[in-house]
Amino acid sequence: MFGVEPQDNLVKSHVMIDPSRSPFIKERMQVVYEGESLQELLNQVEFLQIKGETFKVVYVKNEGSSKMEKIGFENRRAIEKEVGLHINGEAALEHPKRLFGIMVVNGRWFFGDYVKSEPVWHRHQQKPHSYSTALNTRVARAVANIAVPEPVGIKAIDPCCGIGTVLVEALSMGIDIVGSDKNPLILNGVRENIAYFGLSGEVTFTDIRDVTNHYDVAIIDLPYNLCCAITPEQQKEILSHARRIAQRVVFVSVETIDDILLEEGFSIIDRAVVSKGKFMREVIVCE
């Protein structure tokens, strides 16, 4: 997936999400100039001055483009060179400080700052410890993004952290999150998973009933497997304490829990379904 974001600081501020936070966005371009033709774009690029930084121009292929818009390798390199020659600055093919992208979408040309995602979540699949029923890393990263889209000033908790899949993804994105679980047998594994990727985070042997601090958001993958099966009463208790300790909660559940959520005073803000074969999980955002 590719994200193109407009730059319009005079009208409104625009939140720029680092593509590496998302397991779905592969690259992003913040549009600086646009035009009906390449020449119109070049005329605008001439006004761009890069001081104190080296740069490189990359032609970004639009996978959804028509056959008429598809440009061969040699032509792409020629366009990159032509655009680079119109920029007032020092070009660098290796290790540039700034990357610019150029692309054509529906016959219109775009130029802007370009960022390519580093799929760090792929590396997180190779954790020292894992559960077969744990969230996969891609879903865990998406859930952490949904729970904390902007980490600054936000304190989060995963009070049923299991083997720490969500914790690893959240910590790797700079989210201020702590983890806890009532199963003491898994805690060393959680800590080893976190340390294995050079991360650090607090993980404690604590039942959700004993959590006393209050958090901006909680992420809870409700227990469901044979090793930690819970009764409907215990499930309701988890939801009740979740509402007590956090203003906002993202639940992951293998069954419909709407009635219990509403009974516990939650408002359901958004939801999605993640499926793998016949196995389905609901991701529910509540306040």
Side-chain angles (χ1 to χ4, degrees), residues 128-173:
H129 306 276
S130 63
Y131 283 160
S132 60
T133 52
L135 289 176
N136 66 53
T137 55
R138 193 177 196 187
V139 173
R141 197 168 188 85
V143 168
N145 260 319
I146 291 168
V148 190
E150 294 187 55
V152 178
I154 301 298
K155 292 188 177 297
I157 183 173
D158 182 350
C160 304
C161 69
I163 204 62
T165 307
V166 169
L167 289 177
V168 168
E169 298 308 314
L171 289 169
S172 72
M173 292 188 285

mmCIF file of all heavy atoms in Angstrom, residues 128-173:
data_model
loop_
_atom_site.group_PDB
_atom_site.id
_atom_site.type_symbol
_atom_site.label_atom_id
_atom_site.label_comp_id
_atom_site.label_asym_id
_atom_site.label_seq_id
_atom_site.Cartn_x
_atom_site.Cartn_y
_atom_site.Cartn_z
ATOM 1 N N PRO A 128 12.113 -15.460 20.475
ATOM 2 C CA PRO A 128 12.582 -16.670 21.167
ATOM 3 C C PRO A 128 11.435 -17.518 21.708
ATOM 4 O O PRO A 128 11.519 -18.740 21.754
ATOM 5 C CB PRO A 128 13.445 -16.119 22.313
ATOM 6 C CG PRO A 128 13.845 -14.750 21.870
ATOM 7 C CD PRO A 128 12.696 -14.234 21.054
ATOM 8 N N HIS A 129 10.342 -16.864 22.133
ATOM 9 C CA HIS A 129 9.208 -17.576 22.721
ATOM 10 C C HIS A 129 7.924 -17.155 22.024
ATOM 11 O O HIS A 129 7.728 -15.975 21.723
ATOM 12 C CB HIS A 129 9.096 -17.264 24.216
ATOM 13 C CG HIS A 129 10.352 -17.529 24.986
ATOM 14 N ND1 HIS A 129 10.682 -18.780 25.462
ATOM 15 C CD2 HIS A 129 11.370 -16.699 25.346
ATOM 16 C CE1 HIS A 129 11.852 -18.713 26.089
ATOM 17 N NE2 HIS A 129 12.285 -17.464 26.029
ATOM 18 N N SER A 130 7.055 -18.097 21.775
ATOM 19 C CA SER A 130 5.790 -17.767 21.121
ATOM 20 C C SER A 130 4.715 -18.773 21.488
ATOM 21 O O SER A 130 5.011 -19.869 21.985
ATOM 22 C CB SER A 130 5.977 -17.735 19.596
ATOM 23 O OG SER A 130 6.357 -19.015 19.120
ATOM 24 N N TYR A 131 3.469 -18.367 21.251
ATOM 25 C CA TYR A 131 2.316 -19.242 21.405
ATOM 26 C C TYR A 131 1.688 -19.428 20.030
ATOM 27 O O TYR A 131 1.617 -18.473 19.247
ATOM 28 C CB TYR A 131 1.261 -18.619 22.316
ATOM 29 C CG TYR A 131 1.549 -18.678 23.797
ATOM 30 C CD1 TYR A 131 0.903 -17.799 24.661
ATOM 31 C CD2 TYR A 131 2.416 -19.615 24.339
ATOM 32 C CE1 TYR A 131 1.140 -17.830 26.026
ATOM 33 C CE2 TYR A 131 2.658 -19.650 25.702
ATOM 34 C CZ TYR A 131 2.018 -18.758 26.539
ATOM 35 O OH TYR A 131 2.242 -18.790 27.880
ATOM 36 N N SER A 132 1.210 -20.604 19.738
ATOM 37 C CA SER A 132 0.563 -20.836 18.450
ATOM 38 C C SER A 132 -0.729 -20.039 18.321
ATOM 39 O O SER A 132 -1.160 -19.701 17.219
ATOM 40 C CB SER A 132 0.255 -22.329 18.277
ATOM 41 O OG SER A 132 -0.617 -22.786 19.300
ATOM 42 N N THR A 133 -1.345 -19.721 19.458
ATOM 43 C CA THR A 133 -2.623 -18.991 19.435
ATOM 44 C C THR A 133 -2.449 -17.487 19.656
ATOM 45 O O THR A 133 -3.430 -16.759 19.719
ATOM 46 C CB THR A 133 -3.573 -19.544 20.510
ATOM 47 O OG1 THR A 133 -2.894 -19.552 21.768
ATOM 48 C CG2 THR A 133 -4.019 -20.945 20.153
ATOM 49 N N ALA A 134 -1.200 -17.029 19.803
ATOM 50 C CA ALA A 134 -0.970 -15.596 20.002
ATOM 51 C C ALA A 134 -1.275 -14.830 18.716
ATOM 52 O O ALA A 134 -1.270 -15.392 17.614
ATOM 53 C CB ALA A 134 0.473 -15.351 20.420
ATOM 54 N N LEU A 135 -1.554 -13.542 18.844
ATOM 55 C CA LEU A 135 -1.740 -12.698 17.668
ATOM 56 C C LEU A 135 -0.487 -12.758 16.804
ATOM 57 O O LEU A 135 0.628 -12.791 17.327
ATOM 58 C CB LEU A 135 -1.974 -11.248 18.087
ATOM 59 C CG LEU A 135 -3.299 -10.878 18.757
ATOM 60 C CD1 LEU A 135 -3.269 -9.413 19.167
ATOM 61 C CD2 LEU A 135 -4.473 -11.149 17.854
ATOM 62 N N ASN A 136 -0.659 -12.786 15.487
ATOM 63 C CA ASN A 136 0.532 -12.699 14.654
ATOM 64 C C ASN A 136 1.057 -11.264 14.704
ATOM 65 O O ASN A 136 0.352 -10.333 15.085
ATOM 66 C CB ASN A 136 0.259 -13.173 13.225
ATOM 67 C CG ASN A 136 -0.700 -12.286 12.467
ATOM 68 O OD1 ASN A 136 -0.515 -11.071 12.374
ATOM 69 N ND2 ASN A 136 -1.736 -12.885 11.885
ATOM 70 N N THR A 137 2.315 -11.092 14.335
ATOM 71 C CA THR A 137 2.957 -9.792 14.519
ATOM 72 C C THR A 137 2.286 -8.692 13.707
ATOM 73 O O THR A 137 2.227 -7.549 14.138
ATOM 74 C CB THR A 137 4.445 -9.868 14.138
ATOM 75 O OG1 THR A 137 4.565 -10.367 12.810
ATOM 76 C CG2 THR A 137 5.204 -10.770 15.079
ATOM 77 N N ARG A 138 1.791 -9.021 12.524
ATOM 78 C CA ARG A 138 1.161 -8.002 11.684
ATOM 79 C C ARG A 138 -0.105 -7.463 12.336
ATOM 80 O O ARG A 138 -0.330 -6.257 12.396
ATOM 81 C CB ARG A 138 0.837 -8.582 10.307
ATOM 82 C CG ARG A 138 0.479 -7.523 9.276
ATOM 83 C CD ARG A 138 0.245 -8.132 7.919
ATOM 84 N NE ARG A 138 0.279 -7.103 6.884
ATOM 85 C CZ ARG A 138 -0.023 -7.332 5.624
ATOM 86 N NH1 ARG A 138 -0.385 -8.547 5.242
ATOM 87 N NH2 ARG A 138 0.023 -6.353 4.740
ATOM 88 N N VAL A 139 -0.936 -8.376 12.860
ATOM 89 C CA VAL A 139 -2.163 -7.946 13.530
ATOM 90 C C VAL A 139 -1.829 -7.210 14.820
ATOM 91 O O VAL A 139 -2.446 -6.185 15.145
ATOM 92 C CB VAL A 139 -3.078 -9.161 13.817
ATOM 93 C CG1 VAL A 139 -4.279 -8.746 14.663
ATOM 94 C CG2 VAL A 139 -3.555 -9.785 12.507
ATOM 95 N N ALA A 140 -0.847 -7.711 15.568
ATOM 96 C CA ALA A 140 -0.458 -7.061 16.821
ATOM 97 C C ALA A 140 0.005 -5.628 16.570
ATOM 98 O O ALA A 140 -0.322 -4.714 17.333
ATOM 99 C CB ALA A 140 0.649 -7.861 17.511
ATOM 100 N N ARG A 141 0.768 -5.426 15.500
ATOM 101 C CA ARG A 141 1.251 -4.078 15.176
ATOM 102 C C ARG A 141 0.082 -3.175 14.776
ATOM 103 O O ARG A 141 0.029 -1.997 15.148
ATOM 104 C CB ARG A 141 2.284 -4.152 14.058
ATOM 105 C CG ARG A 141 3.127 -2.878 13.936
ATOM 106 C CD ARG A 141 4.312 -3.114 13.021
ATOM 107 N NE ARG A 141 5.235 -1.980 13.021
ATOM 108 C CZ ARG A 141 6.197 -1.784 13.897
ATOM 109 N NH1 ARG A 141 6.355 -2.654 14.879
ATOM 110 N NH2 ARG A 141 6.992 -0.738 13.827
ATOM 111 N N ALA A 142 -0.854 -3.723 14.003
ATOM 112 C CA ALA A 142 -2.027 -2.947 13.617
ATOM 113 C C ALA A 142 -2.863 -2.571 14.838
ATOM 114 O O ALA A 142 -3.338 -1.436 14.961
ATOM 115 C CB ALA A 142 -2.873 -3.739 12.616
ATOM 116 N N VAL A 143 -3.028 -3.502 15.763
ATOM 117 C CA VAL A 143 -3.800 -3.232 16.981
ATOM 118 C C VAL A 143 -3.123 -2.146 17.817
ATOM 119 O O VAL A 143 -3.794 -1.246 18.346
ATOM 120 C CB VAL A 143 -3.976 -4.528 17.802
ATOM 121 C CG1 VAL A 143 -4.516 -4.217 19.195
ATOM 122 C CG2 VAL A 143 -4.917 -5.489 17.081
ATOM 123 N N ALA A 144 -1.801 -2.203 17.941
ATOM 124 C CA ALA A 144 -1.081 -1.170 18.685
ATOM 125 C C ALA A 144 -1.244 0.192 18.025
ATOM 126 O O ALA A 144 -1.390 1.216 18.696
ATOM 127 C CB ALA A 144 0.403 -1.538 18.785
ATOM 128 N N ASN A 145 -1.236 0.226 16.692
ATOM 129 C CA ASN A 145 -1.455 1.473 15.959
ATOM 130 C C ASN A 145 -2.846 2.030 16.195
ATOM 131 O O ASN A 145 -3.044 3.232 16.355
ATOM 132 C CB ASN A 145 -1.255 1.238 14.458
ATOM 133 C CG ASN A 145 0.109 1.690 13.977
ATOM 134 O OD1 ASN A 145 0.588 2.731 14.378
ATOM 135 N ND2 ASN A 145 0.723 0.905 13.125
ATOM 136 N N ILE A 146 -3.833 1.139 16.182
ATOM 137 C CA ILE A 146 -5.215 1.553 16.411
ATOM 138 C C ILE A 146 -5.365 2.115 17.822
ATOM 139 O O ILE A 146 -6.026 3.137 18.041
ATOM 140 C CB ILE A 146 -6.174 0.366 16.201
ATOM 141 C CG1 ILE A 146 -6.218 -0.019 14.714
ATOM 142 C CG2 ILE A 146 -7.576 0.690 16.708
ATOM 143 C CD1 ILE A 146 -6.906 -1.333 14.452
ATOM 144 N N ALA A 147 -4.738 1.446 18.779
ATOM 145 C CA ALA A 147 -4.867 1.854 20.177
ATOM 146 C C ALA A 147 -4.159 3.175 20.449
ATOM 147 O O ALA A 147 -4.678 4.037 21.162
ATOM 148 C CB ALA A 147 -4.313 0.766 21.095
ATOM 149 N N VAL A 148 -2.970 3.348 19.867
ATOM 150 C CA VAL A 148 -2.165 4.544 20.136
ATOM 151 C C VAL A 148 -1.646 5.100 18.810
ATOM 152 O O VAL A 148 -0.486 4.884 18.448
ATOM 153 C CB VAL A 148 -0.988 4.240 21.084
ATOM 154 C CG1 VAL A 148 -0.315 5.536 21.532
ATOM 155 C CG2 VAL A 148 -1.439 3.447 22.299
ATOM 156 N N PRO A 149 -2.479 5.830 18.073
ATOM 157 C CA PRO A 149 -2.032 6.381 16.789
ATOM 158 C C PRO A 149 -0.959 7.439 16.939
ATOM 159 O O PRO A 149 -0.116 7.595 16.061
ATOM 160 C CB PRO A 149 -3.317 6.952 16.183
ATOM 161 C CG PRO A 149 -4.231 7.181 17.336
ATOM 162 C CD PRO A 149 -3.904 6.111 18.323
ATOM 163 N N GLU A 150 -0.978 8.176 18.046
ATOM 164 C CA GLU A 150 0.041 9.189 18.318
ATOM 165 C C GLU A 150 0.553 8.973 19.742
ATOM 166 O O GLU A 150 -0.153 9.239 20.712
ATOM 167 C CB GLU A 150 -0.542 10.595 18.164
ATOM 168 C CG GLU A 150 -0.961 10.929 16.735
ATOM 169 C CD GLU A 150 -1.373 12.379 16.574
ATOM 170 O OE1 GLU A 150 -0.571 13.260 16.928
ATOM 171 O OE2 GLU A 150 -2.496 12.615 16.120
ATOM 172 N N PRO A 151 1.791 8.478 19.900
ATOM 173 C CA PRO A 151 2.285 8.054 21.210
ATOM 174 C C PRO A 151 2.597 9.172 22.200
ATOM 175 O O PRO A 151 2.641 8.914 23.406
ATOM 176 C CB PRO A 151 3.582 7.297 20.867
ATOM 177 C CG PRO A 151 3.516 7.022 19.415
ATOM 178 C CD PRO A 151 2.716 8.132 18.827
ATOM 179 N N VAL A 152 2.818 10.383 21.723
ATOM 180 C CA VAL A 152 3.298 11.452 22.613
ATOM 181 C C VAL A 152 2.306 11.687 23.753
ATOM 182 O O VAL A 152 1.138 11.988 23.543
ATOM 183 C CB VAL A 152 3.513 12.763 21.834
ATOM 184 C CG1 VAL A 152 3.962 13.873 22.784
ATOM 185 C CG2 VAL A 152 4.545 12.564 20.722
ATOM 186 N N GLY A 153 2.806 11.533 24.969
ATOM 187 C CA GLY A 153 1.997 11.816 26.146
ATOM 188 C C GLY A 153 0.993 10.748 26.511
ATOM 189 O O GLY A 153 0.210 10.920 27.449
ATOM 190 N N ILE A 154 0.990 9.623 25.816
ATOM 191 C CA ILE A 154 0.012 8.561 26.058
ATOM 192 C C ILE A 154 0.658 7.418 26.845
ATOM 193 O O ILE A 154 1.728 6.926 26.500
ATOM 194 C CB ILE A 154 -0.550 8.009 24.728
ATOM 195 C CG1 ILE A 154 -1.220 9.134 23.931
ATOM 196 C CG2 ILE A 154 -1.525 6.871 24.990
ATOM 197 C CD1 ILE A 154 -2.406 9.771 24.624
ATOM 198 N N LYS A 155 -0.028 7.000 27.910
ATOM 199 C CA LYS A 155 0.423 5.852 28.694
ATOM 200 C C LYS A 155 -0.534 4.687 28.454
ATOM 201 O O LYS A 155 -1.744 4.839 28.583
ATOM 202 C CB LYS A 155 0.479 6.205 30.180
ATOM 203 C CG LYS A 155 1.568 7.225 30.520
ATOM 204 C CD LYS A 155 1.720 7.384 32.013
ATOM 205 C CE LYS A 155 2.859 8.343 32.353
ATOM 206 N NZ LYS A 155 4.169 7.807 31.882
ATOM 207 N N ALA A 156 0.043 3.532 28.103
ATOM 208 C CA ALA A 156 -0.768 2.374 27.740
ATOM 209 C C ALA A 156 -0.394 1.166 28.587
ATOM 210 O O ALA A 156 0.686 1.109 29.187
ATOM 211 C CB ALA A 156 -0.580 2.053 26.259
ATOM 212 N N ILE A 157 -1.309 0.187 28.608
ATOM 213 C CA ILE A 157 -1.061 -1.053 29.340
ATOM 214 C C ILE A 157 -1.652 -2.220 28.565
ATOM 215 O O ILE A 157 -2.684 -2.093 27.899
ATOM 216 C CB ILE A 157 -1.687 -0.989 30.758
ATOM 217 C CG1 ILE A 157 -1.339 -2.269 31.544
ATOM 218 C CG2 ILE A 157 -3.197 -0.780 30.695
ATOM 219 C CD1 ILE A 157 -1.757 -2.237 33.005
ATOM 220 N N ASP A 158 -0.957 -3.347 28.638
ATOM 221 C CA ASP A 158 -1.487 -4.623 28.163
ATOM 222 C C ASP A 158 -1.550 -5.521 29.388
ATOM 223 O O ASP A 158 -0.564 -6.164 29.756
ATOM 224 C CB ASP A 158 -0.569 -5.215 27.093
ATOM 225 C CG ASP A 158 -1.105 -6.532 26.535
ATOM 226 O OD1 ASP A 158 -2.070 -7.075 27.102
ATOM 227 O OD2 ASP A 158 -0.546 -7.024 25.535
ATOM 228 N N PRO A 159 -2.712 -5.558 30.081
ATOM 229 C CA PRO A 159 -2.803 -6.257 31.368
ATOM 230 C C PRO A 159 -3.000 -7.771 31.260
ATOM 231 O O PRO A 159 -3.052 -8.451 32.280
ATOM 232 C CB PRO A 159 -4.012 -5.586 32.022
ATOM 233 C CG PRO A 159 -4.885 -5.220 30.865
ATOM 234 C CD PRO A 159 -3.967 -4.872 29.734
ATOM 235 N N CYS A 160 -3.140 -8.277 30.040
ATOM 236 C CA CYS A 160 -3.221 -9.727 29.813
ATOM 237 C C CYS A 160 -2.239 -10.033 28.679
ATOM 238 O O CYS A 160 -2.619 -10.513 27.611
ATOM 239 C CB CYS A 160 -4.632 -10.151 29.434
ATOM 240 S SG CYS A 160 -5.922 -9.672 30.617
ATOM 241 N N CYS A 161 -0.965 -9.731 28.917
ATOM 242 C CA CYS A 161 0.011 -9.611 27.827
ATOM 243 C C CYS A 161 0.429 -10.923 27.200
ATOM 244 O O CYS A 161 1.052 -10.925 26.135
ATOM 245 C CB CYS A 161 1.229 -8.837 28.303
ATOM 246 S SG CYS A 161 2.239 -9.702 29.527
ATOM 247 N N GLY A 162 0.118 -12.069 27.853
ATOM 248 C CA GLY A 162 0.523 -13.336 27.263
ATOM 249 C C GLY A 162 2.028 -13.375 27.051
ATOM 250 O O GLY A 162 2.798 -12.970 27.911
ATOM 251 N N ILE A 163 2.440 -13.800 25.862
ATOM 252 C CA ILE A 163 3.868 -13.931 25.583
ATOM 253 C C ILE A 163 4.477 -12.622 25.100
ATOM 254 O O ILE A 163 5.666 -12.554 24.794
ATOM 255 C CB ILE A 163 4.122 -15.069 24.575
ATOM 256 C CG1 ILE A 163 5.552 -15.615 24.716
ATOM 257 C CG2 ILE A 163 3.797 -14.633 23.154
ATOM 258 C CD1 ILE A 163 5.844 -16.230 26.071
ATOM 259 N N GLY A 164 3.677 -11.557 25.036
ATOM 260 C CA GLY A 164 4.218 -10.222 24.781
ATOM 261 C C GLY A 164 4.251 -9.776 23.332
ATOM 262 O O GLY A 164 4.990 -8.853 22.990
ATOM 263 N N THR A 165 3.436 -10.372 22.479
ATOM 264 C CA THR A 165 3.455 -10.005 21.058
ATOM 265 C C THR A 165 3.082 -8.547 20.848
ATOM 266 O O THR A 165 3.745 -7.821 20.095
ATOM 267 C CB THR A 165 2.492 -10.908 20.260
ATOM 268 O OG1 THR A 165 2.802 -12.280 20.518
ATOM 269 C CG2 THR A 165 2.615 -10.645 18.771
ATOM 270 N N VAL A 166 2.038 -8.089 21.503
ATOM 271 C CA VAL A 166 1.619 -6.683 21.384
ATOM 272 C C VAL A 166 2.666 -5.765 22.006
ATOM 273 O O VAL A 166 2.968 -4.694 21.467
ATOM 274 C CB VAL A 166 0.242 -6.462 22.031
ATOM 275 C CG1 VAL A 166 -0.065 -4.972 22.161
ATOM 276 C CG2 VAL A 166 -0.850 -7.149 21.226
ATOM 277 N N LEU A 167 3.233 -6.176 23.136
ATOM 278 C CA LEU A 167 4.244 -5.349 23.801
ATOM 279 C C LEU A 167 5.442 -5.089 22.894
ATOM 280 O O LEU A 167 5.927 -3.958 22.805
ATOM 281 C CB LEU A 167 4.713 -6.027 25.088
ATOM 282 C CG LEU A 167 3.722 -6.075 26.255
ATOM 283 C CD1 LEU A 167 4.326 -6.834 27.424
ATOM 284 C CD2 LEU A 167 3.316 -4.684 26.683
ATOM 285 N N VAL A 168 5.929 -6.120 22.217
ATOM 286 C CA VAL A 168 7.081 -5.959 21.328
ATOM 287 C C VAL A 168 6.771 -4.957 20.223
ATOM 288 O O VAL A 168 7.567 -4.053 19.936
ATOM 289 C CB VAL A 168 7.505 -7.317 20.729
ATOM 290 C CG1 VAL A 168 8.505 -7.115 19.586
ATOM 291 C CG2 VAL A 168 8.107 -8.210 21.797
ATOM 292 N N GLU A 169 5.601 -5.089 19.598
ATOM 293 C CA GLU A 169 5.243 -4.180 18.511
ATOM 294 C C GLU A 169 5.079 -2.753 19.026
ATOM 295 O O GLU A 169 5.558 -1.799 18.406
ATOM 296 C CB GLU A 169 3.960 -4.647 17.819
ATOM 297 C CG GLU A 169 4.058 -6.011 17.164
ATOM 298 C CD GLU A 169 5.252 -6.121 16.243
ATOM 299 O OE1 GLU A 169 5.484 -5.196 15.432
ATOM 300 O OE2 GLU A 169 5.981 -7.130 16.340
ATOM 301 N N ALA A 170 4.381 -2.597 20.146
ATOM 302 C CA ALA A 170 4.139 -1.261 20.692
ATOM 303 C C ALA A 170 5.446 -0.586 21.111
ATOM 304 O O ALA A 170 5.690 0.578 20.796
ATOM 305 C CB ALA A 170 3.172 -1.341 21.870
ATOM 306 N N LEU A 171 6.297 -1.311 21.817
ATOM 307 C CA LEU A 171 7.564 -0.748 22.274
ATOM 308 C C LEU A 171 8.454 -0.369 21.093
ATOM 309 O O LEU A 171 9.158 0.646 21.131
ATOM 310 C CB LEU A 171 8.281 -1.740 23.184
ATOM 311 C CG LEU A 171 7.652 -1.964 24.567
ATOM 312 C CD1 LEU A 171 8.285 -3.162 25.259
ATOM 313 C CD2 LEU A 171 7.788 -0.718 25.428
ATOM 314 N N SER A 172 8.428 -1.154 20.037
ATOM 315 C CA SER A 172 9.267 -0.868 18.875
ATOM 316 C C SER A 172 8.809 0.398 18.154
ATOM 317 O O SER A 172 9.564 0.971 17.366
ATOM 318 C CB SER A 172 9.251 -2.046 17.897
ATOM 319 O OG SER A 172 8.017 -2.145 17.217
ATOM 320 N N MET A 173 7.576 0.843 18.411
ATOM 321 C CA MET A 173 7.051 2.074 17.806
ATOM 322 C C MET A 173 7.150 3.262 18.747
ATOM 323 O O MET A 173 6.607 4.325 18.470
ATOM 324 C CB MET A 173 5.596 1.864 17.368
ATOM 325 C CG MET A 173 5.443 0.893 16.223
ATOM 326 S SD MET A 173 3.751 0.848 15.567
ATOM 327 C CE MET A 173 2.905 -0.073 16.834
#
